[in-house]
Amino acid sequence: MQTIKEYVQSHKERFLDELFALLRFPSISADPQYKDDVLKTANFVAEKLQEAGADNVEVCPTAGNPIVYGEKLINPSLPTVLIYGHYDVQPADPLELWDTPPFEPTVRDGKIYARGAADDKGQFYMHIKAFEYMMRNNALSCNVKFMIEGEEEVGSANLGTFVKENKVRLQNDVIVISDTSMISMEQPSLETGLRGLSYVEVEVTGPNRDLHSGVYGGAVANPATILSKLIASLHDENNHIAIPGFYDDVVELSPEERAALNQAPFDIETYKSDLGIEDVWGEKDYTTIERTGIRPTLEVNGIWGGYIGEGAKTVLPAKAFAKISMRLVPNQDSNRITELFKKHFENIAPHYVKVHVKPHHGGEPVVTPTDSIAYKAAEMALEEAFLKKPIPTRGGGSIPIVALFEKELGVKTVLLGFGLDSDNLHSPNEKYGIANYLKGIETIPSFFKYYAELSR
Amino acid sequence: MQTIKEYVQSHKERFLDELFALLRFPSISADPQYKDDVLKTANFVAEKLQEAGADNVEVCPTAGNPIVYGEKLINPSLPTVLIYGHYDVQPADPLELWDTPPFEPTVRDGKIYARGAADDKGQFYMHIKAFEYMMRNNALSCNVKFMIEGEEEVGSANLGTFVKENKVRLQNDVIVISDTSMISMEQPSLETGLRGLSYVEVEVTGPNRDLHSGVYGGAVANPATILSKLIASLHDENNHIAIPGFYDDVVELSPEERAALNQAPFDIETYKSDLGIEDVWGEKDYTTIERTGIRPTLEVNGIWGGYIGEGAKTVLPAKAFAKISMRLVPNQDSNRITELFKKHFENIAPHYVKVHVKPHHGGEPVVTPTDSIAYKAAEMALEEAFLKKPIPTRGGGSIPIVALFEKELGVKTVLLGFGLDSDNLHSPNEKYGIANYLKGIETIPSFFKYYAELSR
């Protein structure tokens, strides 16, 4: 029987080749034209689960993209771990900013460059390879279930129904998700909170047609100008979000909790130079770590209106649009926030334009426990692999499934992430370190071992 | 010898077919991919000038699109009229809003629907047909020169050089341009002023790459949000333009002049229902006629940044852009205004983003005389054709050539426009009335006749 270290050493070439094959599928869930690639990706994942030794592998249809399920139930007396991940990815544009094609994985100084490398293909695939090791070396110490979905990047619209309809099949003692970041390879960490999300699209309509800006300009409200004024008003001079009631349910951390949070190693100068900015920006009286971890935010993800082509066109556009998302913290409720935004935006719109707010999707914020045996097992596994105790952090991202599972199955989650904030998630040149990938595969079996031990 | 009325009656089918052929060329000057169609259009215009009887017809190359020239010099003792027009058109997008294809002219209830129908193909072509009549019926009473350019919609960048290099060839006593609107077929009018233009493109840069809005949102300035704030600040609460010095050179009209201007028939309710707006918008203490005629304006012609595709992408964009144009009135100087805008915009940009202002093009405002014999001749010709005396109006649009000619050749212009403000210039479903087209052809020879008489 090989140790996991030996197994990774002797199989790492294949582990990389398989991940590259997975990364070559442009499984973009936001854009309908990739529907076919999304299905191919699901089948590929199912096939690999089967090869690794899973039973009852199934590509489960949903109203949207299918969910891949597989399991290995060795003994009812042992605890059951459910691995969640997603095989869909963010759109790759702007394409021109990629140094190498987003769906042709390329290795540069030890990093795998490809859309989905870290979010989440590279991370969930670690679990399939760790599982393969445990199966072939008779080292599986827990029952395990895999649920890999294809709509995480568009709000997991159909996951809720699937979970409700499969409560028995999905029953488990802990959910493990590798879809987050750690501080660095020198300083492992475990995210203990995720922000919720409210994503809306706004449309401002002025005249019933595009107009000549010379003939009508100055006399008819310009939707692009009005939209700019509306967006500008959503943050006040202290960069607080100016939507009435927005902060009502926000849980304020105690001075001690904030102090603890700010213990995490963070160098503002490195942060700024990595991003190429002269200064950071954000809510008054909060640090950068707090702004991205424990505070809600409102960001314009896209804005467009009028003539955006080559050269100049003197038009007064009929419409202007924006995609706006808000990150939520405990105990904000995504539906309530969406409602508040809609009301407020319709409220502040002047009578000479019409506005329409279309909710896209949402997700609830969560805090994961640090006193559970699963968290303890994760700490031990990371310390064994990195020779350093991981520290708890608050993540800025959102994974709707976490709150959903807590609600539907009453199960807590461990966020065992091996990515880095600098991996360019959702950006051109997304990457994932080969070392992170292999280290993850190496860490997972110890988690299973410790979790089984502590569960006895 | 036929009268012009008889001639139009017997040739109108051909007049329409020729215009339709001209309208089928997608001569969009803003977009390089139509370069070829632009050249074909120039050749077509030259060919038609020749057929109509012009001498020395030439497609004159410039650094950009060619200028079509042609002339008929019958007698040095007679006055010379220079006809200016442009064969290039605005881009046709948004295409989905056209009821019929923009470059397949279609007639619906007496109107020709096509990009360029009124601006300016349908209007300059009237002069070629009127010229054809005068040639074939021995009715030409002035020397005539044609200069039809191909870059009016992108700022006539190369026209200045051409004019400077061809002062002798272009020498004339009056310039006639049909590229403006009249009030209605029941109430003819003559525009006596045109606004100038300053067109810029702004770029706001935040981080050096698109970022995950969950990981970085709330901690890094979002260029789309900052651009919105910058644009919002360009108009104050009274919709005055908030650029220091912007109004310094603006010529204020006397109460009498303003009263006279507001005599023009204008029904605010019809205006609002035609545009489908609940209310008008604009600078405090000025009427709609004044806002579009004698006041400078600032309009966002296009805005874009971040993810603008299908669905949702949680990205904090690296850059956001806007195309902004300002209409200028006497005596504002387009270069000075562009400079003021650039300084101000760079000035108000916060230090956590970078801004870049790129000037596109500009043009100077003009006022045309109402006491010249050319204006008088135009009045007489319109009254003869419409059986009603035309009234002077101020146009909101810009035709850079007018100021340029005044400067370079010291010649004044008559704006003999037959379009309507409701012709959807620069918009989907641009149209030009068949009646307007034929009435224009019928009016032009009388202008020549009266102008020659009054010049004796």
Side-chain angles (χ1 to χ4, degrees), chain B residues 250-273:
Chain B
V250 171
V251 173
E252 296 285 346
L253 272 66
S254 70
E256 297 66 30
E257 290 173 298
R258 289 178 62 176
L261 196 67
N262 287 298
Q263 288 311 306
F266 176 77
D267 176 45
I268 191 80
E269 292 313 318
T270 314
Y271 188 81
K272 288 193 285 185
S273 67

Side-chain angles (χ1 to χ4, degrees), chain B residues 6-23:
Chain B
E6 295 160 349
Y7 192 78
V8 168
Q9 271 313 309
S10 45
H11 294 278
K12 67 179 176 203
E13 287 317 316
R14 178 172 57 85
F15 288 0
L16 285 170
D17 292 344
E18 289 176 15
L19 175 57
F20 286 11
L22 175 58
L23 290 169

